């Protein structure tokens, strides 16, 4: 097949890719496989075709990933990255393709580290559930691929809005990868940097203002979630010292520290606030405590109890430990507490019920403090 014929075939695929005409997954895969084979015959020594071959490998990777074939997706995206590396050195558009291929590679690598809602599975306490060695190595490789993408965006002309937006998006993805590895402080830093980059890039009036506002809202939600998981010492205090704690989120940081059990005087010192201001924030802002008591049945299943032993309430100026102590004291003296030796467990969250490893306080009837090792529980 001649080069011109290959390009016509590529143009046909571009129409199918855009949904005109519609094609079944099987037909799309067949077209892509044939197109990749045709491009590969002409790509050696032709940087433009090599870069286009990279794009089509990227399309094939997306097809595999969307149809649940992560292994095949990783193989295809590896080819996409490999074929675009050299063209990226000679042409800015190809460099942008290369950076995006690296980001996709990172997303596919990190897939086991997220749950069915796309939220991190293991972004919790260091002693909580951890990914297996294979998935952790994949996550570290995803971080490395994202750093490589950032390096590509950084060397491009930053007066071009496409490059600045690409760099900001890459920082968003880096934050996602770091959060998946249980590094909320580093992930929060990435969110702050990305937010600042987007604010600098999108000056009003902007024709795409609504879309940009949605991106900034998403980033703000991510940042708040990550800050809720940051420890006070070495986390919130370090972000403050490095001017990476937005002023609008200082009250959230104060609340997070108090929930952790930090004294108001220490909060003021660590976040550079007046003691009176910390007190004002703690009086004015409540936090939502969410709790659940479970009873273990004879068959080993953990079954949650009904209200009031599964519920939520607004709490003002109390630590998580204080709330947990009040709830457990009430439970053990209630008629609902099971007779010994029936096991029960308790978990307390900030904001919403989630994984047990994400709870602020967790205990079992066998051991108060560090929870006893428990078998895998049902999702309830």
């Amino acid at each position: 097949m001649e080069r011109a014929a290959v390009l016509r075939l590529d143009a046909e695929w571009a129409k199918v890719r855009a949904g005109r005409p519609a094609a079944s997954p099987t037909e799309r895969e067949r077209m892509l496989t044939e197109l990749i084979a045709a491009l590969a015959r002409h790509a050696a020594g032709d940087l433009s075709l090599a870069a286009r071959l990279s794009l089509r490998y990227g399309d094939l990777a997306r097809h595999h990933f969307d149809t649940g074939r992560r292994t095949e997706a990783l193989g295809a995206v590896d080819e996409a990255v490999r074929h675009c590396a050299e063209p990226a050195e000679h042409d800015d558009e190809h460099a942008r393709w290369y950076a995006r291929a690296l980001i996709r590679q990172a997303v596919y690598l990190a897939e086991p580290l997220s749950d069915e809602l796309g939220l991190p599975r293991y972004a919790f306490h260091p002693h909580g559930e951890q990914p297996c060695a294979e998935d952790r190595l994949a996550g570290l490789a995803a971080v490395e691929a994202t750093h490589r993408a950032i390096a590509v965006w950084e060397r491009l002309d930053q007066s071009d809005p496409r490059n600045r937006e690409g760099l900001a998006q890459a920082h968003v993805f880096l934050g996602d990868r770091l959060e998946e590895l249980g590094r909320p402080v580093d992930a929060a830093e990435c969110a702050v940097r990305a937010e600042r980059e987007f604010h600098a890039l999108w000056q009003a009036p902007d024709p795409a203002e609504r879309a940009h506002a949605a991106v900034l809202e998403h980033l703000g939600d991510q940042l708040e979630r990550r800050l809720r998981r940051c420890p006070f010492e070495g986390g919130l205090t370090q972000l403050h010292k490095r001017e990476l704690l937005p002023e609008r989120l200082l009250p959230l940081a104060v609340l997070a520290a108090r929930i952790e059990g930090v004294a108001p005087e220490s909060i003021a010192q660590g976040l550079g606030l007046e003691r009176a201001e910390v007190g004002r924030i703690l009086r004015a802002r409540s936090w939502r405590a969410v709790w659940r008591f479970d009873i273990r049945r004879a068959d080993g299943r953990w079954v949650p109890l009904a209200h009031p032993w599964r519920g939520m309430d607004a709490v003002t100026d109390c630590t998580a430990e204080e709330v947990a102590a009040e709830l457990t004291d009430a439970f053990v003296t209630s008629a609902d507490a099971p007779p010994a030796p029936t096991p029960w467990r308790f978990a307390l969250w900030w904001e919403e019920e989630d994984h047990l490893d994400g709870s602020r306080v967790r205990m079992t009837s066998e051991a108060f403090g560090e929870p006893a090792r428990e078998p895998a529980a049902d999702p309830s």
Side-chain angles (χ1 to χ4, degrees), residues 106-115 118-124 129-131 135-136 138-140 142-143 146 172-184 187 222 225-226 229:
V107 170
Y108 300 159
L109 281 166
E111 190 264 346
L113 300 175
S114 294
D115 63 17
L119 295 174
R121 290 183 187 274
Y122 308 104
F124 303 126
E129 185 183 0
Q130 298 294 313
D135 289 348
R136 179 168 177 78
L140 293 171
V143 170
T146 311
V172 173
F173 281 106
L174 180 59
D176 292 343
R177 305 291 79 83
L178 292 169
E179 187 178 15
E180 288 161 349
L181 289 172
R183 296 166 58 182
Q222 279 189 325
R225 185 181 72 243
R226 290 166 186 174
R229 292 175 176 166

Side-chain angles (χ1 to χ4, degrees), residues 232-233 237 240 250 253-255 257-258 262-282:
F232 181 67
E233 291 294 344
T237 56
H240 168 68
L250 274 173
V254 169
L255 207 57
R258 189 69 187 122
V262 182
E265 294 78 9
S266 299
I267 296 174
Q269 184 177 3
L271 298 180
L273 296 170
E274 295 292 332
R275 171 63 180 84
E277 176 66 6
V278 170
R280 186 195 66 77
I281 292 171
L282 292 175

Side-chain angles (χ1 to χ4, degrees), residues 324-337:
E326 183 176 343
L327 286 165
T328 53
D329 285 348
F331 178 70
V332 297
T333 58
S334 74
D336 297 314

